[in-house]
Structure formats: structure tokens, C-alpha cells
Amino acid sequence: MKKLLITGGAGFIGTNFVHHWVQNHPEDRVINLDALTYAGNLENLQGIDKSANYRFVHGDVCDQDLIRKLFHDEGITHVVHFAAESHVDRSITGPEAFITTNIHGTFTLLESARRAWGDDLEACRFLHVSTDEVYGSLMADAPAFSETTPFAPNSPYAASKASSDHLVRAYFHTYGMPVLTTNCSNNYGPYQFPEKLIPLVVMNSLEEKPLPVYGDGLNIRDWLHVDDHCRGIDRVLHAGRVGETYNIGGCNEWANIDIVRLICSTLDEMRPGDRPKSELITFVRDRPGHDQRYAIDANKIMTELGWSPEYTFETGIRQTVAWYLDNEAWWSRIRDGSYKEYYKQQYGA
Ligand code: NAD
Ligand code: TYD
């Protein structure tokens, strides 16, 4: 039986991972630690909170006393570390929280695990969930990021994640900590906070609001359904080689404008309106330092651990759009709160 400390389990990917783990490994104990920032939402975990093997703890990954107590009281054997400030645009307007949570929070967790686990490391694992953004930006014809691509982060978000990846690596080399790192491409799927491109476009379309596309819309991202990411993390946690990094991605590169058009046509079919949703597309001022292209070479996890994505982008987008159509109450509540203030600041009135 594993005793997992999942951090950030009330956010987008963490929520999906908690659901995945409780469903697939009911014998394990899951402690979900989340500070419930604007991005954390306990509504996502309704139902699960009744499971005997599940406990939610409201707290900060930077709170050393709390984390040490959790390791001690719960006998944590595995950490899956999602908690982070995760939105590039917010890191441009307010980088400090990114430095605190993403760097200091990861350090606090590593140090607490090191002290709690001592030399008894055989059955323990510390899996750090990171991003492909640490590798920087690719030219159109450059090969995809591999695990040996040098780090070249360009936003405060990417730099803070790169710093945390380096700390994790250092704890392996210096202390022999049983760490694993995953660097994943852009995720999409249920429960994603509507500041990110795909949910933002779905919801704005449904509310007949402009669909803001940065710059010329030709920036490229490599998209993966969140369920495929969760299955990848599960594989790495069970079978990954300690000290190794695994890139996770869908071999699924799309220009932003094409994704926005795909969502528009999917919605025209699933929720027809008076006019095509694509008429709402609005090109807006570009993001400062906007990375041109991300692409992941996922060969290592595919060949070594037998993982591969199950969703195609078309089926994944359909499932995701259907989820947002079925869960209007969920996103309406979010869009009524502090999100309004953020939206005004980011996109103007
Ligand atoms: P998210 O912003 O949706 O959720 C983050 C969660 O962390 C929230 O529940 C929030 O309350 C919690 N949190 C924030 N600060 C905290 C703190 N100090 N202490 C405890 N909890 C705190 O993020 P996400 O999109 O689910 O991303 C999760 C992880 O996956 C992040 O580490 C991110 O870098 C990484 N990642 C994300 C993507 C993506 O496309 N979203 C891709 C690759 C990697
Ligand atoms: P985002 O979902 O913020 O993820 P990331 O910046 O981590 O890749 O953005 C995905 C892409 O979509 C990115 O190139 C920026 C672009 N984008 C827009 O064009 N308009 C928007 O309103 C947002 C939020 C993003």
C-alpha cells in the first residue's frame, strides 16, 4: 500500500490525477494538500471526499511545519508534486508568487521528504510534475524537445519551473533521493481553469464574447489530453527509473488559430447558434516574449514504459467541449468570482 502526498490536487491536472488514482488504486491512501488559490476548487473532488482512504488538507507547500507533520503523521511513501502557479500571463504581471510556490515550495517538499525518509528509500518516490516550457522556444523546423535538450526558459513561469526541476535533480545527485521528473506539453480536458486557451475559447463562445487570439495566432503548442498525462505519470511512478526525466506529449502540434477554429466548428455542431462562432475570433496584442513553438519527443516514455496517448485531438476536444457544456454551473461560478477582475486586467473591458 502506497501513502501518497498529492500536492495541488484541487487544480486542473491534480484533480484529474486524484480521480484517476482513487479509481485505479483504491488500496492506496491519498493525502491531497492544496492551498486553494484562485485555481484550486474543492467542488472538483465531490464524491471522492467520502472515500475512507482519502484526506484533504488545506495548506501551503511552503509551510515547512505542516509538511513535516504530514510526513510524520501519515507515513508518506510517495509524493506527486503538482502544486504550482501555472499561468504564463499571470507570471508576467506578477512573478513573485511563482518564485515562492514553484521554487521555495518544491524545496520545502524535497527537504521534508529527505528528513522523513532518511536512508530508508527503497519503497519511496518523489515525482515532480513539470512542463516542456523549461526547454524554451523552437524554430519551425527544429527537432522536438528531448530529455537532453538544454533548458532555456523564457517566462517567469518557465524559469521558476526550470529552477524547481534543477532542485529535484540536485536532491538525486547529492542525497540519492528517489526522484522522478516528468516534463509534459500543454494539457486540456475537464476542470481546466478558464484562463487557459481552450476553456477560455469554449466559454467565451458560449457567451458570444470575443475569442482573443494573441498576435498572428501562429504560435504552436503540442496538446495532450489530461487523462493521457495522468496515465503517463502513473506509469512513471510505478516503473520509471529513479533520477530520470521523462517527457510526456501527444505528437500533436497545432497553431493556436487552428485550435480556435476547431473549437468553433465543434460548438457550431454541438450547440448551434444564429451565426458561426468563428465570427467571434479577435486578434489581440501579443503576449510579451511569446514562445513560438513547443513540441515534445515522447520516445523515451513510449519505448521504455510502454505509454502512449489514447485520445486523438478530435475525440479529446469533443469530450472536453461536451464536459464544459454539461458543467455550466461549474464554470459560471468561477467566471462570476475574482476571474472577472483578472479578465478585465488581462483583456481590457
Ligand atoms: P492549476 O493552476 O490548475 O492548479 C494548481 C493547483 O495548485 C491549485 O489547486 C492551487 O490551489 C494549488 N496551489 C498553488 N499554490 C499552492 C501552494 N503554495 N501550496 C499548495 N497548493 C498550491 O495548475 P495545473 O494546470 O493543474 O498544473 C499542475 C502542474 O502541472 C503544475 O506544476 C504545472 O507546472 C504542471 N504542468 C501543467 C501543464 C498544463 O498544460 N496545465 C502542462 C505541463 C505541466
Ligand atoms: P495557454 O493556455 O496560456 O498555455 P501556455 O502559455 O502555457 O502554452 O496558451 C496556449 C497558447 O494560446 C499560447 O500560445 C498563448 C495562446 N493564447 C491566446 O492566443 N489567447 C489567449 O487568450 C490565451 C489565454 C492564450
Side-chain angles (χ1 to χ4, degrees):
M1 174 192 174
K2 297 181 176 55
K3 294 176 183 166
L4 266 75
L5 174 62
I6 298 177
T7 70
F12 162 48
I13 307 175
T15 288
N16 283 282
F17 187 77
V18 169
H19 282 283
H20 166 93
W21 204 273
V22 169
Q23 243 167 48
N24 291 284
H25 309 286
E27 69 287 1
D28 291 340
R29 179 149 176 81
V30 169
I31 313 297
N32 177 5
L33 172 75
D34 196 297
L36 298 180
T37 66
Y38 77 91
N41 188 348
L42 280 184
E43 243 186 85
N44 303 356
L45 298 156
Q46 270 169 12
I48 283 195
D49 44 7
K50 312 251 167 0
S51 317
N53 265 345
Y54 173 83
R55 175 181 167 203
F56 177 76
V57 179
H58 184 192
D60 194 321
V61 285
C62 300
D63 183 343
Q64 185 176 293
D65 294 341
L66 171 68
I67 310 283
R68 288 199 184 161
K69 190 165 162 24
L70 275 180
F71 269 93
H72 177 265
D73 293 354
E74 293 284 353
I76 301 296
T77 58
H78 290 67
V79 176
V80 187
H81 179 34
F82 293 97
E85 289 293 334
S86 71
H87 192 40
V88 173
D89 291 327
R90 288 187 195 251
S91 84
I92 293 168
T93 50
E96 193 170 345
F98 290 72
I99 306 307
T100 307
T101 290
N102 300 3
I103 304 177
H104 195 72
T106 304
F107 163 70
T108 306
L109 273 175
L110 282 165
E111 190 56 12
S112 306
R114 182 171 81 88
R115 284 167 186 261
W117 292 343
D119 294 330
D120 197 11
L121 297 170
E122 190 62 33
C124 297
R125 292 289 181 275
F126 186 111
L127 191 148
H128 176 58
V129 180
S130 194
T131 167
D132 60 356
E133 303 196 25
V134 297
Y135 299 121
S137 183
L138 289 169
M139 305 290 280
D141 53 355
F145 303 128
S146 78
E147 288 80 0
T148 55
T149 302
F151 281 16
N154 289 321
S155 70
Y157 164 66
S160 67
K161 291 297 291 188
S163 307
S164 64
D165 292 16
H166 283 319
L167 276 171
V168 171
R169 177 190 158 90
Y171 268 67
F172 171 69
H173 284 273
T174 306
Y175 304 114
M177 283 270 293
V179 304
L180 298 149
T181 298
T182 54
N183 292 88
C184 189
S185 56
N186 284 63
N187 282 216
Y188 68 97
Y191 300 107
Q192 189 165 31
F193 195 83
E195 65 193 352
K196 303 278 170 41
L197 178 71
I198 289 179
L200 188 135
V201 167
V202 174
M203 290 169 215
N204 279 19
S205 298
L206 292 172
E207 293 180 337
E208 301 269 320
K209 289 186 176 148
L211 310 180
V213 176
Y214 295 164
D216 57 10
L218 296 179
N219 301 70
I220 290 172
R221 299 291 182 263
D222 185 348
W223 293 89
L224 184 71
H225 192 281
V226 65
D227 288 349
D228 284 326
H229 186 190
C230 291
R231 287 188 309 97
I233 294 172
D234 187 327
R235 281 300 296 145
V236 174
L237 195 62
H238 278 107
R241 280 180 296 133
V242 161
E244 292 289 315
T245 287
Y246 293 87
N247 280 356
I248 310 182
C251 298
N252 181 42
E253 292 181 52
W254 282 72
N256 294 336
I257 185 66
D258 294 332
I259 295 185
V260 175
R261 290 205 180 103
L262 174 66
I263 296 172
C264 289
S265 61
T266 306
L267 272 170
D268 287 341
E269 195 194 316
M270 293 172 86
R271 181 70 67 87
D274 294 338
R275 56 184 180 141
K277 300 289 187 213
S278 56
E279 286 184 15
L280 297 167
I281 292 174
T282 309
F283 290 91
V284 300
R285 189 163 55 91
D286 207 354
R287 172 186 281 174
H290 196 174
D291 283 340
Q292 187 56 40
R293 175 179 164 236
Y294 303 146
I296 278 273
D297 174 348
N299 257 314
K300 182 172 170 183
I301 188 172
M302 286 175 159
T303 52
E304 207 177 295
L305 304 181
W307 171 90
S308 58
E310 287 180 359
Y311 282 88
T312 63
F313 199 46
E314 284 74 7
T315 55
I317 284 290
R318 249 175 195 282
Q319 182 260 15
T320 301
V321 169
W323 187 88
Y324 283 100
L325 287 174
D326 290 344
N327 290 277
E328 195 163 334
W330 180 88
W331 55 264
S332 298
R333 273 194 286 279
I334 291 173
R335 304 247 294 185
D336 279 348
S338 61
Y339 182 83
K340 267 192 179 152
E341 203 41 51
Y342 163 78
Y343 198 88
K344 213 163 100 188
Q345 251 183 30
Q346 181 65 24
Y347 298 96

